[in-house]
Amino acid sequence: MNPTASTGELPSSSTAPLAGVRVVEVSSFVAAPLCGMTLAQLGAEVIRVDPIGGAADYKRWPLTEDNESIYWAGLNKGKRSFAADFRNPEAQELIRKLVLDAGILVTNAAGRPWLDYDELAAIRPDLIHVQVLGRADGTGAVDYTVNAAAGFPQVTGPDNLSGPVNHVLPAWDVSCGLYAALSVVSAVYRREITGAGTKVVLPLEDVAFATVGNLGYIAEAQLGGPGRRRIGNAVYGTYGCDFTTVDGIRFMIVALTPRHFRDLTELTGTTHAVTALEAALDVDFRDEGSRFEHRHVLDSLFGAWFGKRTATEVEEALAATSILHERYRTFAELAHDPRVTDNPMFQRLAQPRIGEYLAPSTPMSFDGVHPTVRPAPANGDDTAAVLSEHLGLTDDEIDALVAAGAVRTQQKDPA
């Protein structure tokens, strides 16, 4: 395996899970960058290769007052940045050499012959090449268009709404990025055992469709099941509802098990009323399907208890039960929540050009420790070091490439 390196310090100790693995990433937006960042947080050296001045996501919102992308900093922590003119043949050849030297490429940049798997694998047969696509046929798609095809917007929102409702979370991009990282780790393991390379093709659309299938929605439709309807904030097939306190705070309550439901009836003082309701309807609310089918009348019974109490009183009472619950919070509230501020996953990060704030490492801890969070680079921060360390170029050779406009060695503001 190849030694790791980074601007200013080693990206990880030799005991990090992916120490010694080097990845070249040619990407933009969410899925592929998330893959690279996940690998970097696990100890791999990840070299993100971008056009000079940055790819299309380099200035993506949210931005600071100085027009620096907080988004970019979030999804590119711990990487190295190599900036080159993608239209320059000499730059293309440099990128190819970096890929061949690293042995792993992650990209969502389709249609670039100089990054083609067959051409690269002909030179390095053990190459691991992960290509993220929009659709399996190679046509373009993004999370928001894939989501439209996946069916979820038609069952999201209140039951009296007729039009589709998109989710704000780019769930398919996130899932795709983690699938991509898993494919890299799996291919590295396979190469260690067999010496073989791997061509991985991962369509974003297929990530969504696989999820719809894995959750049973496609099979349900094929087997003639009832069409899914909007159910607001209820939870399909079990009991869940959002309730509002007397001071206007909303809570999400979920009772998955008979114990959860029993605690909910005892907490709200509705045990006798619920028992009478079971007898009247000839149902057993220990069955979660029955709780779902009769959710509206249950909502009315429980809602009265929440509506007479403050949020503080509700939180204290719920904490003494097994009931699954959470208060609805804004991003601003979450940012100051002890589950962030006192969470070892979040570490104080001094991010150049942006400022100091708490940034997440991986949700996974290894032997009780979360990997160290490292800042994101600026476009071209590591170009010279990468060319020197991995391709053996001299300072004069690097200066000539910069003078020719093939690469950029450090961030400069556009004219």
Side-chain angles (χ1 to χ4, degrees):
M1 289 186 177
N2 297 307
T4 58
S6 179
T7 302
E9 62 178 14
L10 291 176
S12 62
S13 73
S14 60
T15 59
L18 295 182
V21 173
R22 190 188 314 152
V23 179
V24 173
E25 174 196 320
V26 182
S27 71
S28 58
F29 297 111
V30 180
L34 176 61
C35 169
M37 186 185 71
T38 301
L39 298 172
Q41 290 177 322
L42 295 177
E45 178 191 359
V46 178
I47 303 169
R48 172 156 172 167
V49 178
D50 280 310
I52 292 174
D57 60 343
Y58 192 57
K59 293 295 182 180
R60 200 177 193 204
W61 288 14
L63 302 172
T64 67
E65 292 182 356
D66 296 327
N67 207 36
E68 294 290 345
S69 175
I70 301 171
Y71 166 95
W72 164 272
L75 279 173
N76 291 281
K77 296 189 294 289
K79 300 179 186 177
R80 309 182 82 187
S81 175
F82 184 94
D85 180 358
F86 282 16
R87 295 167 295 182
N88 184 303
E90 192 170 11
Q92 293 174 6
E93 185 57 27
L94 289 172
I95 297 169
R96 282 169 55 88
K97 288 180 178 179
L98 287 175
V99 171
L100 292 169
D101 183 60
I104 304 174
L105 172 66
V106 174
T107 182
N108 62 354
R112 300 187 187 277
W114 43 280
L115 292 179
D116 179 72
Y117 169 78
D118 290 332
E119 289 193 20
L120 293 169
I123 303 171
R124 179 162 182 173
D126 69 345
L127 176 70
I128 296 169
H129 187 288
V130 179
Q131 176 73 65
V132 175
L133 299 174
R135 297 188 179 94
D137 63 5
T139 57
V142 294
D143 185 284
Y144 311 100
T145 60
V146 164
N147 190 52
F152 286 102
Q154 301 292 356
V155 296
T156 301
D159 57 10
N160 60 354
L161 193 68
S162 59
V165 177
N166 290 335
H167 57 227
V168 177
L169 170 70
W172 310 125
D173 276 337
V174 172
S175 299
C176 186
L178 297 177
Y179 268 118
L182 177 61
S183 72
V184 170
V185 173
S186 300
V188 167
Y189 177 76
R190 178 174 181 254
R191 186 168 67 183
E192 290 290 324
I193 300 300
T194 69
T198 306
K199 177 183 180 182
V200 178
V201 178
L202 180 59
L204 178 66
E205 187 176 68
D206 282 358
V207 170
F209 291 172
T211 302
V212 178
N214 290 337
L215 293 175
Y217 300 150
I218 290 177
E220 180 186 35
Q222 290 176 338
L223 295 171
R228 289 293 178 98
R229 299 178 57 187
R230 287 189 167 90
I231 56 174
N233 288 338
V235 181
Y236 182 77
T238 192
Y239 185 74
C241 184
D242 61 306
F243 296 103
T244 305
T245 63
V246 69
D247 49 352
I249 304 301
R250 298 176 77 93
F251 283 80
M252 184 63 195
I253 304 297
V254 179
L256 287 176
T257 69
R259 180 190 176 192
H260 296 155
F261 189 73
R262 183 180 66 249
D263 280 4
L264 181 57
T265 63
E266 291 177 355
L267 177 71
T268 56
T270 59
T271 300
H272 294 304
V274 169
T275 299
L277 183 61
E278 286 180 306
L281 297 173
D282 192 23
V283 297
D284 184 348
F285 285 141
R286 288 176 297 182
D287 172 60
E288 60 180 342
S290 295
R291 299 196 293 272
F292 174 74
E293 289 176 347
H294 300 285
R295 63 191 180 279
H296 294 304
V297 65
L298 292 171
D299 294 348
S300 298
L301 286 174
F302 303 144
W305 183 87
F306 287 90
K308 296 175 182 177
R309 288 161 176 79
T310 66
T312 299
E313 291 171 334
V314 167
E315 281 187 310
E316 290 176 352
L318 286 169
T321 73
S322 70
I323 302 165
L324 304 172
H325 65 279
E326 185 52 81
R327 176 176 177 166
Y328 283 90
R329 303 173 193 274
T330 65
F331 294 136
E333 289 173 322
L334 180 61
H336 300 286
D337 191 294
R339 287 171 292 182
V340 169
T341 58
D342 297 342
N343 188 337
M345 178 183 71
F346 283 87
Q347 301 167 22
R348 184 66 58 178
L349 176 67
Q351 174 62 50
R353 307 170 306 280
I354 291 180
E356 187 172 307
Y357 52 89
L358 289 174
S361 177
T362 68
M364 304 166 285
S365 63
F366 294 85
D367 299 321
V369 178
H370 292 275
T372 300
V373 175
R374 294 176 292 120
N379 182 248
D381 268 356
D382 305 287
T383 302
V386 168
L387 290 173
S388 173
E389 294 167 16
H390 298 314
L391 299 188
L393 272 63
T394 66
D395 290 345
D396 288 344
E397 289 172 323
I398 295 170
D399 289 343
L401 288 169
V402 173
V407 301
R408 170 183 284 179
T409 55
Q410 59 185 1
Q411 169 66 14
K412 297 178 182 177
D413 293 328

